[in-house]
Amino acid sequence: MEPLLKARGLVKRYGKVTALDQCDFDLYPGEVLAVIGDNGAGKSSLIKALSGAVRPDEGEITLDGQPMHFNSPLEARKAGIETVYQNLALSPALSICDNMFLGREIRRPGPLGQYFRMLDRPQMRKMAREKLTELGLMTIQNIDQPVETLSGGQRQGVAVARAAAFGSRVVIMDEPTAALGVKESRRVLELILDVKRRGLPIVLISHNMPHVFEVADRIHIHRLGARLAVVDPKEISMSDAVAMMTGAMQPPTAAAA
């Protein structure tokens, strides 16, 4: 089976610092791929390259076998790659519905939308409600309430629902449970599995090893700007994964990239 999203030989330099050093990456259809690595290993640069936030200096990214050259996150989104950032990138004062459609509002049909740029709010509300219900976010009663009135878990839910609604090919989640309590973290892990069941592959960046081992099908271990290994969480222990990540242990030859 061919990877859906693939990168080969990615290089990204910031002055004298090499953030990505001939980095490879493979995401297969329908899987949850966890990306783990120590601070400064280059995980963020890899995700930014895949999501269009930075342009690599060298290397190639392909989606469904087609070479991709993203100049911005907007271009990656148009290609079907949605990212849920650690800071959620939500506008607290806007409603849930407005946040779901931020930057891709639906206009009313006919002259009102075309010339007067009026929004089709009933259609946006209907779609937002459907997407939240699909992902089991029934605790959100009012689609028009400001995002700032929601709990941390509910905000994360809105961000995930937005990504799942518009991510037609890939969803990338950057530390989705970092700022959440136990109960809300549990809900986000369930959301990840819900999105996977809908057939969307997910890239999960996380420092939380129990979460990674619970939901990931494969684990990409990132070290010193490159992929060190890809391992099966059923075949290695959490402590071994951490040891590889920190350089205390070499990966098994079969798992090495």
Side-chain angles (χ1 to χ4, degrees):
M1 185 166 54
E2 272 295 300
L4 176 69
L5 182 63
K6 181 166 84 171
R8 289 292 177 268
L10 294 187
V11 174
K12 183 64 187 173
R13 299 184 188 89
Y14 297 97
K16 292 184 178 178
V17 176
T18 302
L20 292 176
D21 188 5
Q22 296 296 327
C23 176
D24 295 341
F25 176 87
D26 294 295
L27 176 70
Y28 288 91
E31 74 168 346
V32 176
L33 175 72
V35 176
I36 64 171
D38 221 345
N39 288 334
K43 299 189 304 296
S44 293
S45 294
L46 170 62
I47 295 316
K48 283 175 180 173
L50 296 174
S51 63
V54 302
R55 284 197 71 172
D57 301 322
E58 296 172 27
E60 183 180 60
I61 296 169
T62 60
L63 182 64
D64 249 351
Q66 300 298 314
M68 293 286 151
H69 303 282
F70 301 132
N71 292 309
S72 69
L74 195 59
E75 289 186 9
R77 276 165 52 176
K78 282 178 181 167
I81 300 173
E82 281 288 325
T83 306
V84 179
Y85 296 100
Q86 200 170 343
N87 62 4
L88 298 183
L90 296 174
S91 295
L94 295 182
S95 71
I96 295 166
C97 181
D98 287 340
N99 267 287
M100 288 276 289
F101 286 92
L102 200 59
R104 45 192 152 201
E105 292 81 0
I106 300 173
R107 296 227 176 97
R108 283 172 66 166
L112 288 177
Q114 192 175 349
Y115 299 113
F116 297 100
R117 304 172 76 82
M118 288 179 72
L119 302 182
D120 190 343
R121 291 203 166 276
Q123 177 67 6
M124 285 160 60
R125 283 194 189 95
K126 180 173 174 283
M127 281 182 67
R129 166 58 64 204
E130 281 171 3
K131 292 301 171 186
L132 292 171
T133 304
E134 255 178 49
L135 289 172
L137 292 162
M138 302 301 289
T139 51
I140 295 172
Q141 298 298 325
N142 180 9
I143 211 89
D144 292 316
Q145 73 188 87
V147 159
E148 63 195 355
T149 63
L150 302 178
S151 70
Q154 287 175 322
R155 290 185 197 199
Q156 189 66 259
V158 170
V160 172
R162 180 175 65 185
F166 296 105
S168 56
R169 317 304 294 279
V170 176
V171 174
I172 298 172
M173 297 191 188
D174 185 8
E175 297 283 358
T177 60
L180 302 182
V182 175
K183 189 176 174 186
E184 293 183 329
S185 293
R186 169 62 35 207
R187 184 70 201 108
V188 170
L189 295 181
E190 287 167 7
L191 281 174
I192 288 169
L193 295 174
D194 284 345
V195 173
K196 180 190 168 185
R197 276 192 285 273
R198 293 177 56 214
L200 275 177
I202 296 162
V203 182
L204 171 67
I205 302 94
S206 182
H207 279 104
N208 189 310
M209 288 297 154
H211 291 173
V212 163
F213 273 73
E214 183 178 340
V215 299
D217 298 303
R218 296 187 310 136
I219 299 173
H220 167 123
I221 300 176
H222 208 73
R223 179 163 165 74
L224 302 176
R227 180 172 69 183
L228 176 72
V230 178
V231 296
D232 185 335
K234 297 181 203 70
E235 293 178 2
I236 68 160
S237 68
M238 246 179 259
S239 55
D240 283 351
V242 173
M244 286 182 226
M245 195 172 93
T246 56
M249 173 181 163
Q250 283 301 308
T253 48

